[in-house]
Amino acid sequence: MKTIRLELVDLLLVGIGAIPGALLRWQASVHLAPFLPFASAGADLVVNVIGAALLGYLVAPPATAAPLLLALGIGFCGSLTTFSSWMLDISLLQRQGMHLDALALLILSLGLGLGAAAGAYGLKGRLQSHR
């Protein structure tokens, strides 16, 4: 059983990662949205794919050290990526009558996200085999 001190350290590690992840997500929305299709939905897609790739890399063998996984995997990736905004983006497109765009965003997000996670997972394995 973990002691309270270790739980507080874990909480601190998640928080340390979460702050820059949230700030990067916000800045991506501010600076990328004007240049991407569907504005904030496009920025959400970019950060979600980046987060999926990073998480895929972190969880691939060999195991990432637990403190780094807490800070980068749960904290950073957790606050960088956004499931709720992705669902809202799809819902708003549907409400605007842009059903094909909503479907395209859904398929593109899933395809790119899964591809990024799988690709980064495989990349780590290949990099480790060359060492």
Side-chain angles (χ1 to χ4, degrees):
M1 180 180 214
K2 285 189 170 187
T3 65
I4 291 176
R5 180 182 168 153
L6 289 177
E7 289 176 4
L8 289 175
V9 169
D10 290 352
L11 180 63
L12 180 63
L13 288 167
V14 171
I16 286 170
I19 292 169
L23 292 173
L24 182 59
R25 178 176 174 268
W26 166 54
Q27 287 300 299
S29 220
V30 169
H31 296 290
L32 293 178
F35 304 103
L36 295 172
F38 308 116
S40 68
D44 288 346
L45 175 63
V46 169
V47 296
N48 286 343
V49 170
I50 290 169
L54 179 57
L55 195 54
Y57 188 87
L58 289 171
V59 301
T64 300
L68 195 56
L69 192 55
L70 284 171
L72 293 178
I74 295 172
F76 184 79
C77 290
S79 65
L80 175 67
T81 60
T82 169
F83 182 81
S84 57
S85 290
W86 177 45
M87 291 296 104
L88 179 61
D89 292 335
I90 291 169
S91 177
L92 291 174
L93 287 171
Q94 287 179 318
R95 286 185 182 190
Q96 294 169 5
M98 302 172 74
H99 302 292
L100 288 178
D101 292 333
L103 181 61
L105 180 59
L106 176 70
I107 292 169
L108 188 62
S109 296
L110 286 172
L112 290 175
L114 290 169
Y121 188 97
L123 175 65
K124 185 176 181 184
R126 286 191 297 279
L127 292 173
Q128 293 300 321
S129 69
H130 288 336
R131 288 186 177 178

